Amino acid sequence: MFPNVLFEPPTSFKAGFPSDYEIGTVDMRWKDKFGVFIIRSAEGLYALSNVCTHLGCTVNWLGGENKFKCPCHGSGYYKNGINFEGPTPRPLERFAVSLAEDGQILIDKSKKYQQEKGQWNDPNSFLNV
Amino acid sequence: MIEAVKQAINSFSSPVTIFSASLAMFALFVLFPRQITSPWCTVPILLLVLAFFAVGLTDEHFVKIVTAPDNVPIVAMIFIAGYFTWYAMRKACLNDARLERGEPTFEKTETDEKVLVFPYLIYIEFVVALVYAIGLVLWSILLKAPLEEPANPTVAPNPSKAPWYFLGLQEMLVYFDPWIAGVLFPTLIIIGLCAIPYIDRDPQPAGFYCYKQRRPMVIVFLFGYWILWILLILVGTFLRGPNWNFFGPFEVWDVHKVVPLVNVNLSDFIFIKGLGWGLPKQWFLREAPGILLCLLYFMVPTTVAAKTWLKKLVEKLGPVRYSVLMILLLSMLALPIKMYLRWAFNLKYIVAIPEFFFNI
């Protein structure tokens, strides 16, 4: 006798320790549940939204071609989220990343950082580890 | 032999070649309608199309796409839309020939009496609607709907395709921002269709099929219908595969097909490549050339044509109806122009203001 509801996952979550992530790879483990790609580079770590900025389809990571690609209209993004092909007008959005008290990565999806507004310079958009 | 033909068709196929070839065929049709709609030309064309499908049906990949339950009506649409276009044009050409010889039109020989839309026309339309409804019911009984597992917001099928009647819009979205291809253009299409009887109020060539006396109107309508709607649906349905890449009709849909699609905005062309200054910081300076270009695109042809070769039309329509007509026509032409700019120069947006989600 309950309504048929799908509850959405919380907007902020702990994503394990930075050492769980390999340098140079696009990590998929939170993609299905939260729609987040976590990418660790040599300098640090950032969380990319998987929503295409053209019309909102979910992008796929193509490892062989080293790019994110949207299945709806063919928009393409580099590993850092910058748009370079197809109709998309702006880069993928980043979520706030920080370290929780227990040393785990804390990702807050309610805070978004857009490159074209210069928000990727914000210290919360990038985690130095 | 057949393999070689398939290979040739595949390597010829690309968005620009398909679009240009269709434009060429369209031009032939509107330039030589009498010859093309005559049985000597129509029957070979029909046989050619049927042969294409016959050969195609020996190809495993072609069969998979063409016989998918939601693609079947689009195959039917090719033949249905083709038939009705042929029928109207054939009748129009025969009437034109009769008028040239000084004979009355077919419609006039049937009856000279005027009849009312209701019930005479509505009755015929109702019967046709019934036939199509029966066809739809049969189609939905015979071919099962391709239902999939419950939708998951984090997983998008690859390729993700809209319902077939929206695939023309989805194809436009490759070249335009959502607010243009998804909102402005559909609205303009509907407004434009509604505006036809108010713009074209000439009572003279009404009530019978004809082409010569209404050539501009027929060409504009057929161009919008066949090239900008049907063709885009066909491309979106049959020729767009994974990652919305373009595939030939007999090409296997390879998820890893790599197509160079790097795009550049007009502001990059002007300020970085042309002037070498680097992009201005303020968006209105950066996009000033693009905005200017768009304004000129709508103003210059309208005023120049009004002063020169469309003088008579302006007198006939008056300034308001003339301006509406020109804005509608130029918006319609903007779609193929933008497509060719993308193919020729990799031009992404003429005006790109991501700060306000405003791109043209």
Side-chain angles (χ1 to χ4, degrees):
Chain A
M1 291 299 281
F2 289 100
N4 196 3
V5 189
L6 275 175
F7 291 100
E8 287 196 17
T11 52
S12 69
F13 64 98
K14 284 186 178 174
F17 296 96
S19 53
D20 297 348
Y21 296 91
E22 234 179 285
I23 290 174
T25 59
V26 175
D27 196 276
M28 307 279 189
R29 73 186 82 171
W30 306 106
K31 185 187 156 237
D32 285 347
K33 194 167 176 198
F34 295 101
V36 175
F37 294 111
I38 294 180
I39 297 119
R40 186 168 174 188
S41 63
E43 295 86 40
L45 191 144
Y46 51 92
L48 276 181
S49 158
N50 74 344
V51 176
C52 179
T53 51
H54 175 234
L55 199 53
C57 294
T58 55
V59 298
N60 299 310
W61 170 248
L62 304 181
E65 288 85 57
N66 214 16
K67 66 185 178 189
F68 295 102
K69 192 82 178 155
C70 175
C72 291
H73 309 98
S75 296
Y77 307 84
Y78 294 125
K79 195 191 264 180
N80 59 6
I82 300 285
N83 53 322
F84 72 99
E85 68 178 6
T88 176
R90 57 196 188 90
L92 292 173
E93 291 172 356
R94 288 186 184 178
F95 294 125
V97 279
S98 57
L99 277 185
E101 282 143 14
D102 58 358
Q104 287 203 56
I105 304 165
L106 188 69
I107 290 178
D108 185 359
K109 285 175 63 186
S110 63
K111 289 197 193 108
K112 282 181 188 165
Y113 298 94
Q114 293 169 231
Q115 189 267 350
E116 74 279 6
K117 291 186 178 170
Q119 292 168 339
W120 282 10
N121 298 323
D122 191 297
N124 277 333
S125 70
F126 193 83
L127 186 65
N128 291 301
V129 281
Chain B
M1 165 64 186
I2 284 178
E3 280 306 312
V5 172
K6 282 193 213 163
Q7 281 291 330
I9 291 177
N10 277 347
S11 53
F12 170 79
S13 298
S14 78
V16 56
T17 50
I18 294 278
F19 197 85
S20 304
S22 307
L23 270 184
M25 285 195 276
F26 177 76
L28 280 179
F29 183 72
V30 294
L31 283 175
F32 309 105
R34 187 173 301 182
Q35 289 83 344
I36 289 178
T37 55
S38 71
W40 302 111
C41 217
T42 307
V43 172
I45 291 174
L46 182 66
L47 288 177
L48 211 65
V49 174
L50 289 175
F52 174 79
F53 275 97
V55 170
L57 289 176
T58 61
D59 186 272
E60 192 187 344
H61 177 72
F62 186 88
V63 170
K64 215 163 77 189
I65 294 166
V66 169
T67 60
D70 39 352
N71 289 352
V72 168
I74 304 174
V75 180
M77 181 177 73
I78 299 175
F79 292 98
I80 295 170
Y83 169 73
F84 283 116
T85 307
W86 172 83
Y87 181 82
M89 197 53 117
R90 171 94 179 135
K91 284 227 158 183
C93 288
L94 291 177
N95 265 345
D96 284 347
R98 291 173 74 99
L99 288 172
E100 257 171 42
R101 293 194 299 264
E103 293 169 24
T105 59
F106 274 119
E107 288 80 357
K108 201 157 189 142
T109 57
E110 274 178 6
T111 170
D112 210 7
E113 206 181 331
K114 280 198 172 170
V115 289
L116 297 169
V117 168
F118 184 82
Y120 297 99
L121 178 65
I122 301 289
Y123 183 76
I124 297 171
E125 287 176 347
F126 177 70
V127 173
V128 173
L130 274 182
V131 172
Y132 272 80
I134 292 167
L136 277 176
V137 170
L138 283 179
W139 168 43
S140 59
I141 289 172
L142 294 175
L143 296 168
K144 295 281 172 257
L147 296 179
E148 295 170 25
E149 66 244 51
N152 178 348
T154 61
V155 176
N158 191 6
S160 288
K161 291 199 177 186
W164 65 266
Y165 43 84
F166 278 149
L167 278 169
L169 292 182
Q170 192 171 356
E171 193 56 29
M172 292 196 319
L173 278 162
V174 175
Y175 305 94
F176 283 103
D177 225 26
W179 74 270
I180 293 189
V183 180
L184 186 69
F185 276 169
T187 313
L188 281 178
I189 292 170
I190 293 168
I191 291 178
L193 287 172
C194 296
I196 289 175
Y198 299 95
I199 290 170
D200 174 24
R201 293 195 301 198
D202 201 353
Q204 232 273 303
F208 55 92
Y209 287 102
C210 66
Y211 179 58
K212 271 218 169 119
Q213 300 176 49
R214 317 174 54 84
R215 191 173 283 173
M217 299 79 154
V218 173
I219 290 178
V220 168
F221 179 80
L222 285 181
F223 177 76
Y225 181 65
W226 270 100
I227 303 290
L228 300 186
W229 194 244
I230 302 255
L231 177 67
L232 292 188
I233 289 178
L234 295 179
V235 169
T237 310
F238 298 123
L239 305 176
R240 289 290 187 178
N243 302 323
W244 212 248
N245 277 327
F246 188 92
F247 292 84
F250 306 111
E251 200 174 337
V252 177
W253 284 8
D254 176 11
V255 185
H256 298 288
K257 177 174 180 174
V258 176
V259 188
L261 291 170
V262 179
N263 293 326
V264 185
N265 288 325
L266 182 69
S267 50
D268 298 334
F269 272 116
I270 290 178
F271 289 107
I272 297 176
K273 284 188 184 163
L275 299 169
W277 295 350
L279 284 182
K281 283 230 156 50
Q282 290 84 4
W283 62 265
F284 48 89
L285 287 180
R286 188 185 68 212
E287 302 307 332
I291 295 171
L292 194 70
L293 200 68
C294 291
L295 289 177
L296 289 178
Y297 172 72
F298 278 99
M299 283 156 65
V300 171
T302 311
T303 46
V304 169
K307 291 270 185 307
T308 53
W309 57 287
L310 289 183
K311 229 175 187 169
K312 273 192 189 153
L313 187 74
V314 182
E315 276 166 26
K316 200 170 132 194
L317 294 181
V320 175
R321 279 160 66 207
Y322 171 74
S323 317
V324 170
L325 172 69
M326 287 305 278
I327 287 173
L328 287 170
L329 284 181
L330 288 168
S331 321
M332 186 171 168
L333 273 185
L335 173 64
I337 288 175
K338 179 83 192 282
M339 290 163 86
Y340 273 107
L341 285 176
R342 174 73 64 84
W343 295 325
F345 305 108
N346 288 324
L347 179 78
K348 181 154 68 176
Y349 290 118
I350 296 165
V351 178
I353 315 175
E355 291 90 337
F356 300 124
F357 306 102
F358 184 92
N359 309 285
I360 298 174

